[in-house]
C-alpha cells in the first residue's frame, strides 16, 4: 500500500512538471512516506529523516515533508521533534500536497479534472488500490487508527486505471486493500469486481493483498477456484494458531475457520501458494497456546511467512495488557517458529521440482548476467538461463529442475 501511495504522489508531482532528482543533494522537494505498523518502522523512518537535517539547514529553498501513517500517528509532535520539517500529511491528506508545494501554480485549478493515476514502477506489473482503511480493529494493530474506516473505490475508476496500465503493457495486477476481500461498492462484492477485472483484455494474472479470513465467502471461493487468470497464491494472515489467543486478538475467526480455507485451496491445487503472518509471544500467550501455532504451521504447510515477536503499539488495546514473557522468551519462540517454517518452505519448494510452469520474467539476475529472475503463478521465485529474446514482462514456459536455497532453478525448453 505504501508503494502504491508513493506512486500516486509521484504522479501528482510529475503532473505539475517535476522530475525525479538524480540524488538528495540536487532535490528541491524530499518526501518521506512512512509506515506505523510496527514501532521499529517508525524508529527507522525517524533515523532516516534526521539524516536530511543537514541538507534542509543548508538550503532555504529545499522543502522536506513527512507523509503516511507515522505522520497521522504522531501528528504535530513530529514538527516539534523534527523542527526542520516543512509539513506533514497523513494518508487521507495527500490531496493537499499540490496546494502546499505549488501554491502559486495556475494549473491547480485543473487538479480535480485531470488527476493522473499512480505512476507505474514498470510496464508489466502494477499495484491497484481498491480499498483503504480497516474496520476490524484487531487488538494489537494501529492501522485502523491511522488509516481510518474502510472506504471502497468506485469500480469504474478501478477499471479505468487498469485499462490505462494495460495500454502501457501491464499484464499482471495486484489489487490492494487493508482487508481487500471485504470490498463492497453498493451491490458489487469483491468476487464480482474480480470477474470484471478478469474480463479486461490484456490481463494475464490477478493477485490481491491482504485478504481477511473472515471474508472468504462461497461466492469468492467459486471465482478463486474457477477463474484461470487469478493466480494460485494468497497471502492470508494467521497471527496465531490458538483460538484463545485469536479471540484476545479480536481476529474474528477460529483456527478451524482458517484451516477450512487452506484445505479448500489446496484441495483444488496441492501446489496452491499460501503465505502468512505470525505473531509470537502475544500478551498472556502460554506455552500450550504457542504450541498450537506451531501445530497449525505443520498442518497448513505454508509456503512462506512473515514472523515477528510481539511488540506493543501505543494506543492499541493490547498495549495495556500485562506481558508475562521476557524479550528473550519471545525471541526464543520466534526463532523456533522461524526454524520450523524454514523447513516447511524448503519442503514446499522441492515439491515444485519437475513441474512445468509459466514464468513472468522480471529482470536479469544480479548475481549472474546470464540468468533471469521471474515468478510462478503461485508466487515462487525462479532463476533460469537467459534465452535470446528474453525481456521484462515476458511470459515463458519452463520446467523446474532444482532448488538452491529457497529459490527454484528452471530451464526453458
Amino acid at each position: 500500500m505504501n508503494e502504491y501511495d508513493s506512486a500516486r504522489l509521484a504522479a501528482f508531482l510529475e503532473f505539475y512538471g517535476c522530475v525525479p532528482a538524480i540524488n538528495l543533494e540536487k532535490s528541491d522537494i524530499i518526501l518521506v512516506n512512512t509506515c506505523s505498523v510496527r514501532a521499529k518502522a517508525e524508529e527507522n523512518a525517524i533515523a532516516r529523516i534526521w539524516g536530511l537535517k543537514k541538507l534542509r539547514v543548508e538550503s532555504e529553498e529545499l522543502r522536506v515533508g513527512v507523509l503516511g501513517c507515522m505522520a497521522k500517528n504522531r501528528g504535530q509532535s513530529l514538527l516539534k521533534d523534527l523542527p526542520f520539517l516543512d509539513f506533514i500529511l497523513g494518508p487521507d491528506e495527500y490531496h493537499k500536497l499540490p496546494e502546499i508545494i505549488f501554491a502559486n501554480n495556475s494549473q491547480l485549478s485543473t487538479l480535480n479534472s485531470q488527476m493522473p493515476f499512480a505512476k507505474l514502477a514498470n510496464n508489466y506489473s502494477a499495484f491497484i488500490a481498491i480499498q483503504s482503511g480497516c474496520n476490524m480493529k484487531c487488538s494489537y494493530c494501529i492501522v485502523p487508527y491511522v488509516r481510518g474506516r474502510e472506504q471502497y473505490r468506485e469500480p469504474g475508476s478501478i477499471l479505468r486505471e487498469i485499462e490505462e496500465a494495460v495500454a502501457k503493457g501491464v499484464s499482471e495486477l495486484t489489487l490492494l486493500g487493508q482487508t481487500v476481500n471485504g470490498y463492497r461498492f453498493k451491490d458489487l462484492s469483491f468476487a464480482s469486481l474480480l470477474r470484471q477485472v478478469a474480463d479486461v483484455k490484456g490481463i494475464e494474472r490477478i493477485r490481491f493483498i491482504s485478504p481477511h479470513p473472515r471474508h472468504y465467502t462461497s461466492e469468492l471461493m467459486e471465482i478463486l477456484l474457477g477463474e484461470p487468470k487469478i493466480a494460485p497464491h494468497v497471502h492470508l494472515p494467521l497471527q496465531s494458531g490458538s483460538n484463545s489467543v485469536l479471540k484476545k486478538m479480536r481476529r474474528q475467526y477460529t483456527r478451524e475457520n482458517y484451516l477450512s480455507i487452506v484445505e479448500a485451496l489446496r484441495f483444488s491445487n496441492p501446489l496452491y501458494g499460501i503465505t502468512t503472518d505470525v505473531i509470537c509471544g502475544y500478551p498472556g500467550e502460554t506455552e500450550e497456546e504457542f504450541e498450537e501455532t506451531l501445530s497449525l504451521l505443520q498442518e497448513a504447510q505454508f509456503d512462506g511467512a512473515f514472523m515477528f515477536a510481539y511488540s506493543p503499539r501505543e494506543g492499541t488495546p493490547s498495549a495495556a495488557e500485562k506481558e508475562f514473557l521476557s524479550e528473550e522468551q519471545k525471541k526464543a519462540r520466534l526463532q523456533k517458529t522461524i526454524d520450523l517454517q524454514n523447513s516447511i518452505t524448503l519442503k514446499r519448494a522441492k515439491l515444485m521440482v519437475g513441474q512445468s510452469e509459466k514464468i513472468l520474467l522480471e529482470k536479469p539476475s544480479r548475481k549472474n548476467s546470464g540468468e533471469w529472475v521471474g515468478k510462478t503463478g503461485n508466487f515462487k521465485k525462479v532463476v533460469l538461463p537467459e534465452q535470446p529474446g528474453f525481456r521484462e514482462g515476458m511470459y515463458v514456459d519452463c520446467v523446474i529442475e532444482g532448488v538452491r536455497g529457497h529459490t527454484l532453478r528452471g530451464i526453458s525448453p
Side-chain angles (χ1 to χ4, degrees):
M1 185 64 79
N2 268 21
E3 288 186 35
Y4 180 81
D5 285 347
S6 292
R8 286 177 58 209
L9 295 167
F12 281 11
L13 297 174
E14 292 189 9
F15 177 73
Y16 290 102
C18 294
V19 295
I22 59 174
N23 55 44
L24 289 174
E25 288 71 23
K26 297 291 185 180
S27 301
D28 299 304
I29 306 163
I30 298 175
L31 304 176
V32 184
N33 193 11
T34 60
C35 174
S36 278
V37 171
R38 301 181 73 234
K40 186 65 175 177
E42 289 195 357
E43 292 170 8
N44 291 341
I46 289 174
R48 183 71 179 270
I49 295 164
W50 270 113
L52 303 174
K53 180 180 179 181
K54 184 173 183 291
L55 292 175
R56 181 65 185 87
V57 170
E58 292 176 349
S59 173
E60 293 185 1
E61 296 181 355
L62 175 64
R63 306 197 72 185
V64 177
V66 173
L67 315 174
C69 292
M70 186 177 76
K72 177 75 171 182
N73 185 37
R74 300 210 174 192
Q76 294 300 309
S77 67
L78 271 181
L79 296 177
K80 180 179 178 181
D81 297 337
L82 304 165
F84 56 91
L85 292 179
D86 293 289
F87 58 91
I88 58 171
L89 291 175
D92 55 348
E93 299 178 305
Y94 293 155
H95 63 281
K96 298 178 182 178
L97 181 62
E99 185 176 354
I100 289 173
I101 296 178
F102 307 110
N104 299 319
N105 192 313
S106 61
Q107 283 184 283
L108 276 175
S109 61
T110 66
L111 175 63
N112 293 330
S113 61
Q114 299 185 38
M115 181 55 60
F117 292 123
K119 183 180 178 181
L120 296 176
N122 55 63
N123 291 328
Y124 59 86
S125 185
F127 290 132
I128 306 289
I130 68 168
Q131 175 247 344
S132 62
C134 182
N135 295 343
M136 291 300 175
K137 294 197 173 180
C138 299
S139 64
Y140 54 83
C141 185
I142 199 171
V143 169
Y145 304 98
V146 295
R147 287 272 181 178
R149 293 188 61 79
E150 292 176 12
Q151 298 183 54
Y152 312 112
R153 189 173 165 194
E154 191 270 322
S157 174
I158 295 169
L159 293 172
R160 285 194 298 274
E161 183 170 8
I162 291 172
E163 289 166 354
E164 185 174 300
V166 169
K168 296 177 181 178
V170 166
S171 65
E172 179 186 69
L173 299 174
T174 301
L175 305 181
L176 300 176
Q178 259 74 38
T179 52
V180 66
N181 57 334
Y183 174 91
R184 180 165 291 276
F185 191 89
K186 297 182 179 178
D187 294 330
L188 189 75
S189 66
F190 181 63
S192 299
L193 178 65
L194 284 176
R195 289 190 178 93
Q196 293 188 16
V197 173
D199 286 340
V200 176
K201 290 184 178 180
I203 294 300
E204 297 268 351
R205 249 180 215 171
I206 303 168
R207 305 185 187 275
F208 54 89
I209 54 174
S210 286
H212 193 285
R214 181 185 175 190
H215 295 306
Y216 269 77
T217 63
S218 57
E219 180 192 22
L220 178 57
M221 292 300 290
E222 181 181 349
I223 189 170
L224 292 183
L225 303 180
E227 172 52 62
K229 287 187 179 182
I230 299 177
H233 167 259
V234 64
H235 184 79
L236 188 63
L238 167 67
Q239 311 305 359
S240 174
S242 165
N243 281 338
S244 53
V245 175
L246 288 172
K247 186 176 181 179
K248 291 178 184 177
M249 289 179 167
R250 304 180 187 177
R251 289 293 290 168
Q252 303 184 40
Y253 57 83
T254 65
R255 173 192 180 99
E256 292 74 22
N257 298 150
Y258 187 96
L259 286 171
S260 69
I261 299 169
V262 173
E263 182 181 2
L265 296 176
R266 289 276 173 75
F267 181 79
S268 71
N269 177 359
L271 296 176
Y272 203 105
I274 304 176
T275 52
T276 196
D277 298 329
V278 178
I279 297 173
C280 300
Y282 184 82
E285 181 188 72
T286 65
E287 186 65 32
E288 291 75 16
E289 289 167 335
F290 171 63
E291 289 294 331
E292 289 183 88
T293 294
L294 296 183
S295 72
L296 192 146
L297 263 62
Q298 289 279 21
E299 191 169 347
Q301 293 287 292
F302 295 114
D303 294 81
F306 293 106
M307 297 159 282
F308 308 94
Y310 170 79
S311 59
R313 294 298 285 119
E314 186 178 350
T316 62
S318 67
E321 294 189 31
K322 183 177 179 180
E323 291 198 60
F324 296 94
L325 297 174
S326 66
E327 290 302 312
E328 290 72 20
Q329 288 173 310
K330 287 192 285 186
K331 288 179 181 178
R333 289 186 181 182
L334 173 61
Q335 191 59 54
K336 193 172 182 179
T337 306
I338 291 171
D339 291 342
L340 173 59
Q341 182 54 52
N342 282 345
S343 67
I344 295 172
T345 297
L346 180 59
K347 178 182 175 181
R348 292 286 300 172
K350 288 180 177 178
L351 291 177
M352 297 291 292
V353 175
Q355 295 291 317
S356 297
E357 293 287 329
K358 179 178 282 189
I359 308 301
L360 174 59
L361 296 178
E362 296 179 346
K363 57 189 175 183
S365 171
R366 293 180 180 177
K367 297 180 180 179
N368 187 332
S369 60
E371 295 180 330
W372 276 69
V373 177
K375 284 196 179 70
T376 63
N378 63 355
F379 207 65
K380 292 190 184 297
K381 180 180 176 181
V382 180
V383 175
L384 65 165
E386 183 176 24
Q387 297 284 345
F390 272 16
R391 56 179 172 77
E392 290 184 355
M394 180 180 182
Y395 290 87
V396 299
D397 294 321
C398 85
V399 175
I400 306 302
E401 60 175 5
V403 181
R404 184 181 299 171
H406 290 162
T407 302
L408 304 181
R409 310 291 300 186
I411 185 166
S412 183

